[in-house]
Amino acid sequence: MAASEENSSLFLIFILTMIALPLVPYTLVRLYRAATQKKKTIHCRCSECSRSGKYRKSIYKRISNFSTYTNLTILLLWVIMVILVYYIKHISREVQPFEPYNILGLEPGASESDIKKSYRRLSILYHPDKNPDPEAHKYFVEFISKAYQALTDPVSRENYEKYGHPDGRQGLKMGIALPQFLLNIDGASGGVLLLGIVGVCILLPLMIAVIYLSRSSKYTGNYVMHHTLSTYYYFMKPSLAPSKVMDVFIKAAEYMEMPVRRSDDEPLQKLFVAVRSELNLDLKNIRTEQAKFWKQHPSLVKMELLVQAHLTREPITLSPPLQRDYKHMLELAPRLLEELMKIALLPRNPHGHGWLRPAIGVVELSQNIIQAVPLSAKKATAGNSEGIAPLLQLPHITEATVKKIVRKKVRTLQELRDMKVEERAELLTQTGGLSAAEAQDVELVLEMIPTLTLDVTCETEGEEGGIQEGDVVTMYAWVSLKRGNGLTAALPHTPYFPFNKEENFWVLLADPVSNGVWLSQKLSFMDETAAITAASKAIQETKEALGASAKEIGVAVREAVEKVKSGCRLVMGKFQAPAEGSYNLTAYCLCDAWIGCDTKTGYKLKVAKRSRAGTRGVHAAAEEGAAAAAAAEDGNEEEEEEEEEEYDDDYESEYSDDEEDDQKKKKGGSKAAAANGSSRGHQNGAAASGSEDEGEGDDE
């Protein structure tokens, strides 16, 4: 009995040790970081964002911030440790070594007469005839009687006095740190052990595998349905205008699965009347256009109306079920837009380039959804190619306010930011009609809007004679971000978007003439540590490839670390140099959360005729030639299939100001088709970050 209890206590001590070894130092490290970490407010502090409740420090919010999986796991493990310590101490008290002299209340070496006297005295207290208490009977039988027998027998007493045990010298005892039921594998314990082994080793992994496979067969790693990706891929076109990106976006399978209820009809009818001007309906045939709109799939109608209601900030009261659908639609929007962006940037033509025009359209749609600004607000106006959308993202600024401040020759967001603080406050209060508190909110948001600069270089590693056709070219792009409040990582001003949204930036190296994106990469300024690690590794590998010394490498790495700490991020990418010629490329840095802060810079790439062996082998070149030929054949087949369906729709953007005659478009169509890998798409040098000149498709 004592041996089994001892084994159980050893098992608990083993478990306690295994938990305490990693838990104690990890907890100390987390407490140290929490105590030394400087708290910075990185979210917008304007009154509109405060009223939204996203950043309110309520008791529930504090509990939610603390109740992370990591913190709850640490707390649970500490509770288990305290319980184990208490239980082990309790077992140690109960399992006492057999001490006959202590039981009888005698000193070691007492005489036989003293032993008998003590035994009689204890018998009066604990004998069953004298004391009816069951505990007294148990104590008398298991301890007092055994102790008396051990000391009255000469041999037992001598053994105890010499070796500490009535049975004489004892061998070395080894305990097993396992519970007793695992040691007794016969009977019921054997069945429990067998069931445990089967459950843990077979059934649990099988259940995890089934759940994972069932989920992975339906969703991607970004929790977007595979059916959504296939739909986006099918409807993505090289000449997709920004105004048409919305039609592709709402076709996501997640949106199509949302239920359409009969109770939604009346609220949707009200939404249709409120946002009808944003639906691009032909006013000359308004009845026909309205009937055509309502004949679409009910889920498409519902999603488009909900998105337009969000963009126009319509204060129409929605029913509780429709309100839940509205919030779910906004919750899914960032993930779906990111996947739509990746689909637009997929290599499509034989050169492995993505499509620039739809990529810019996706970013513009993301900006409008995050800031809740209508798409029509990006239509170019006199003296402003970006429209009034950048101004409408500011708090308390409406179209009426914009019309007032435009009279003072302030037409763009940049012109407003360039003004002095006193002049800007006077303009907003006296001309715009805002109060002093509202003007202060505008000032806070202007300090949050980032200013981006882009520095791009392209070079080949270890090659002489410049960039030649077929070389592997590495692009180095340093993106610098500055804010008026001095922050680098911050959350954007999004009072109408009910969820926390981080800023993401897309860096593109593209050829606007051919509508091709040569390189693309997503960028974030939130994690400075990861950016330092990535920049240091990239600079070190580059310098080592160029044969630099250790001192030069150390200096370059330190410079890169300082640039990252000052608000810069390094973006690297590789591409294969095209055929001989001069290419006027454009590097873009597009933000998915702010309107009007995008930047671009030109880069002229000169590719010389190949005059060295290079790194590509003969077989690789032959394989590339075969792949190009196959791609050309596939492109010819796709031209015949897409000619009837791809350009049946009108891809003219509502933001376009260019008008060209049909003859010029027909002459440029074949050249653009060869560049884009499509049948009849063409570009006219698209693309400023906020709005661009867009070609019009020929529907003949």
Side-chain angles (χ1 to χ4, degrees), residues 32 92 168 225 243 252 269 274 373 429 457 471 475 490 530 631 633 640 655 669 688:
Y32 174 77
S92 299
M225 291 185 178
S243 59
Q269 289 284 351
V373 173
T429 54
T457 58
D471 285 348
M475 180 199 73
E633 294 177 1
E640 297 176 0
Y655 317 133

mmCIF file of all heavy atoms in Angstrom, residues 32 92 168 225 243 252 269 274 373 429 457 471 475 490 530 631 633 640 655 669 688:
data_model
loop_
_atom_site.group_PDB
_atom_site.id
_atom_site.type_symbol
_atom_site.label_atom_id
_atom_site.label_comp_id
_atom_site.label_asym_id
_atom_site.label_seq_id
_atom_site.Cartn_x
_atom_site.Cartn_y
_atom_site.Cartn_z
ATOM 1 N N TYR A 32 8.628 40.374 -17.451
ATOM 2 C CA TYR A 32 9.655 41.393 -17.666
ATOM 3 C C TYR A 32 9.341 42.234 -18.905
ATOM 4 O O TYR A 32 9.456 43.469 -18.883
ATOM 5 C CB TYR A 32 11.022 40.730 -17.797
ATOM 6 C CG TYR A 32 12.126 41.692 -18.164
ATOM 7 C CD1 TYR A 32 12.673 42.543 -17.206
ATOM 8 C CD2 TYR A 32 12.624 41.743 -19.467
ATOM 9 C CE1 TYR A 32 13.688 43.433 -17.541
ATOM 10 C CE2 TYR A 32 13.630 42.627 -19.804
ATOM 11 C CZ TYR A 32 14.157 43.466 -18.842
ATOM 12 O OH TYR A 32 15.154 44.342 -19.182
ATOM 13 N N SER A 92 2.414 13.313 1.282
ATOM 14 C CA SER A 92 3.625 13.149 2.093
ATOM 15 C C SER A 92 3.297 13.113 3.577
ATOM 16 O O SER A 92 3.959 12.423 4.356
ATOM 17 C CB SER A 92 4.598 14.294 1.800
ATOM 18 O OG SER A 92 4.964 14.290 0.448
ATOM 19 N N GLY A 168 15.071 -6.336 9.344
ATOM 20 C CA GLY A 168 16.514 -6.397 9.127
ATOM 21 C C GLY A 168 16.962 -5.482 8.002
ATOM 22 O O GLY A 168 16.265 -4.526 7.617
ATOM 23 N N MET A 225 -12.440 30.383 -49.525
ATOM 24 C CA MET A 225 -12.879 29.165 -50.204
ATOM 25 C C MET A 225 -12.146 28.992 -51.532
ATOM 26 O O MET A 225 -11.875 29.962 -52.241
ATOM 27 C CB MET A 225 -14.387 29.218 -50.449
ATOM 28 C CG MET A 225 -15.228 29.114 -49.198
ATOM 29 S SD MET A 225 -16.981 29.028 -49.598
ATOM 30 C CE MET A 225 -17.691 28.849 -47.967
ATOM 31 N N SER A 243 -14.034 50.327 -61.967
ATOM 32 C CA SER A 243 -15.473 50.301 -61.713
ATOM 33 C C SER A 243 -16.058 48.905 -61.870
ATOM 34 O O SER A 243 -17.146 48.625 -61.367
ATOM 35 C CB SER A 243 -16.186 51.257 -62.671
ATOM 36 O OG SER A 243 -15.937 50.880 -64.021
ATOM 37 N N ALA A 252 -17.786 36.287 -54.696
ATOM 38 C CA ALA A 252 -17.127 35.331 -53.807
ATOM 39 C C ALA A 252 -18.129 34.298 -53.297
ATOM 40 O O ALA A 252 -19.299 34.610 -53.045
ATOM 41 C CB ALA A 252 -16.481 36.059 -52.631
ATOM 42 N N GLN A 269 -35.043 47.223 -50.950
ATOM 43 C CA GLN A 269 -35.674 48.184 -51.850
ATOM 44 C C GLN A 269 -35.326 49.617 -51.454
ATOM 45 O O GLN A 269 -35.038 50.469 -52.305
ATOM 46 C CB GLN A 269 -37.198 47.985 -51.833
ATOM 47 C CG GLN A 269 -37.686 46.707 -52.503
ATOM 48 C CD GLN A 269 -37.646 46.784 -54.019
ATOM 49 O OE1 GLN A 269 -37.404 47.839 -54.595
ATOM 50 N NE2 GLN A 269 -37.874 45.651 -54.676
ATOM 51 N N ALA A 274 -31.700 54.528 -52.336
ATOM 52 C CA ALA A 274 -30.703 55.424 -51.761
ATOM 53 C C ALA A 274 -29.388 55.405 -52.538
ATOM 54 O O ALA A 274 -28.717 56.439 -52.643
ATOM 55 C CB ALA A 274 -30.458 55.054 -50.300
ATOM 56 N N VAL A 373 -15.969 55.436 -48.691
ATOM 57 C CA VAL A 373 -16.054 56.556 -49.625
ATOM 58 C C VAL A 373 -16.621 56.025 -50.938
ATOM 59 O O VAL A 373 -16.168 54.979 -51.429
ATOM 60 C CB VAL A 373 -14.667 57.193 -49.848
ATOM 61 C CG1 VAL A 373 -14.724 58.250 -50.935
ATOM 62 C CG2 VAL A 373 -14.154 57.795 -48.555
ATOM 63 N N THR A 429 -12.587 76.089 -40.135
ATOM 64 C CA THR A 429 -13.600 76.662 -39.249
ATOM 65 C C THR A 429 -14.386 77.784 -39.912
ATOM 66 O O THR A 429 -15.627 77.802 -39.859
ATOM 67 C CB THR A 429 -12.946 77.177 -37.960
ATOM 68 O OG1 THR A 429 -11.873 78.079 -38.296
ATOM 69 C CG2 THR A 429 -12.384 76.013 -37.154
ATOM 70 N N THR A 457 16.340 50.341 -57.220
ATOM 71 C CA THR A 457 17.510 50.039 -58.047
ATOM 72 C C THR A 457 17.415 48.593 -58.505
ATOM 73 O O THR A 457 16.884 47.740 -57.792
ATOM 74 C CB THR A 457 18.829 50.246 -57.275
ATOM 75 O OG1 THR A 457 18.815 49.419 -56.103
ATOM 76 C CG2 THR A 457 19.007 51.695 -56.885
ATOM 77 N N ASP A 471 19.564 37.656 -68.078
ATOM 78 C CA ASP A 471 20.158 37.717 -66.744
ATOM 79 C C ASP A 471 19.074 37.675 -65.670
ATOM 80 O O ASP A 471 17.921 38.077 -65.894
ATOM 81 C CB ASP A 471 20.973 39.008 -66.566
ATOM 82 C CG ASP A 471 22.297 38.941 -67.310
ATOM 83 O OD1 ASP A 471 22.656 37.835 -67.754
ATOM 84 O OD2 ASP A 471 22.952 39.988 -67.449
ATOM 85 N N MET A 475 15.841 43.332 -57.823
ATOM 86 C CA MET A 475 15.326 44.672 -57.529
ATOM 87 C C MET A 475 15.453 44.934 -56.032
ATOM 88 O O MET A 475 15.054 44.108 -55.203
ATOM 89 C CB MET A 475 13.865 44.799 -57.948
ATOM 90 C CG MET A 475 13.266 46.179 -57.672
ATOM 91 S SD MET A 475 11.459 46.222 -57.644
ATOM 92 C CE MET A 475 11.108 45.414 -56.077
ATOM 93 N N ALA A 490 1.075 52.072 -37.267
ATOM 94 C CA ALA A 490 -0.154 52.705 -36.786
ATOM 95 C C ALA A 490 -1.351 52.050 -37.453
ATOM 96 O O ALA A 490 -1.240 51.417 -38.514
ATOM 97 C CB ALA A 490 -0.148 54.204 -37.074
ATOM 98 N N ALA A 530 10.980 41.844 -37.300
ATOM 99 C CA ALA A 530 11.048 40.997 -38.493
ATOM 100 C C ALA A 530 11.663 41.749 -39.669
ATOM 101 O O ALA A 530 12.413 41.168 -40.466
ATOM 102 C CB ALA A 530 9.652 40.490 -38.853
ATOM 103 N N ALA A 631 3.308 28.309 -74.791
ATOM 104 C CA ALA A 631 2.475 29.391 -74.273
ATOM 105 C C ALA A 631 1.872 30.205 -75.410
ATOM 106 O O ALA A 631 0.737 30.662 -75.343
ATOM 107 C CB ALA A 631 3.295 30.297 -73.353
ATOM 108 N N GLU A 633 1.133 29.032 -78.421
ATOM 109 C CA GLU A 633 0.034 28.250 -78.987
ATOM 110 C C GLU A 633 -1.209 28.330 -78.104
ATOM 111 O O GLU A 633 -2.322 28.487 -78.600
ATOM 112 C CB GLU A 633 0.477 26.797 -79.154
ATOM 113 C CG GLU A 633 1.591 26.624 -80.180
ATOM 114 C CD GLU A 633 2.057 25.172 -80.262
ATOM 115 O OE1 GLU A 633 1.476 24.352 -79.518
ATOM 116 O OE2 GLU A 633 2.954 24.881 -81.053
ATOM 117 N N GLU A 640 -8.989 32.897 -79.549
ATOM 118 C CA GLU A 640 -10.224 32.548 -80.247
ATOM 119 C C GLU A 640 -11.386 32.377 -79.278
ATOM 120 O O GLU A 640 -12.520 32.722 -79.585
ATOM 121 C CB GLU A 640 -10.000 31.247 -81.029
ATOM 122 C CG GLU A 640 -8.929 31.378 -82.108
ATOM 123 C CD GLU A 640 -8.661 30.051 -82.802
ATOM 124 O OE1 GLU A 640 -9.321 29.061 -82.414
ATOM 125 O OE2 GLU A 640 -7.833 30.014 -83.715
ATOM 126 N N TYR A 655 -13.781 56.606 -64.312
ATOM 127 C CA TYR A 655 -12.829 57.638 -63.948
ATOM 128 C C TYR A 655 -12.030 58.128 -65.154
ATOM 129 O O TYR A 655 -11.175 58.993 -65.019
ATOM 130 C CB TYR A 655 -11.844 57.118 -62.899
ATOM 131 C CG TYR A 655 -12.494 56.314 -61.823
ATOM 132 C CD1 TYR A 655 -11.968 55.091 -61.424
ATOM 133 C CD2 TYR A 655 -13.646 56.771 -61.210
ATOM 134 C CE1 TYR A 655 -12.580 54.357 -60.434
ATOM 135 C CE2 TYR A 655 -14.261 56.041 -60.218
ATOM 136 C CZ TYR A 655 -13.728 54.834 -59.840
ATOM 137 O OH TYR A 655 -14.324 54.105 -58.870
ATOM 138 N N GLY A 669 -4.567 47.680 -80.800
ATOM 139 C CA GLY A 669 -5.085 46.484 -80.155
ATOM 140 C C GLY A 669 -4.186 45.281 -80.293
ATOM 141 O O GLY A 669 -3.962 44.544 -79.353
ATOM 142 N N ALA A 688 -1.949 56.179 -62.575
ATOM 143 C CA ALA A 688 -1.566 56.833 -61.329
ATOM 144 C C ALA A 688 -2.145 56.017 -60.207
ATOM 145 O O ALA A 688 -2.994 55.188 -60.407
ATOM 146 C CB ALA A 688 -2.121 58.241 -61.294
#
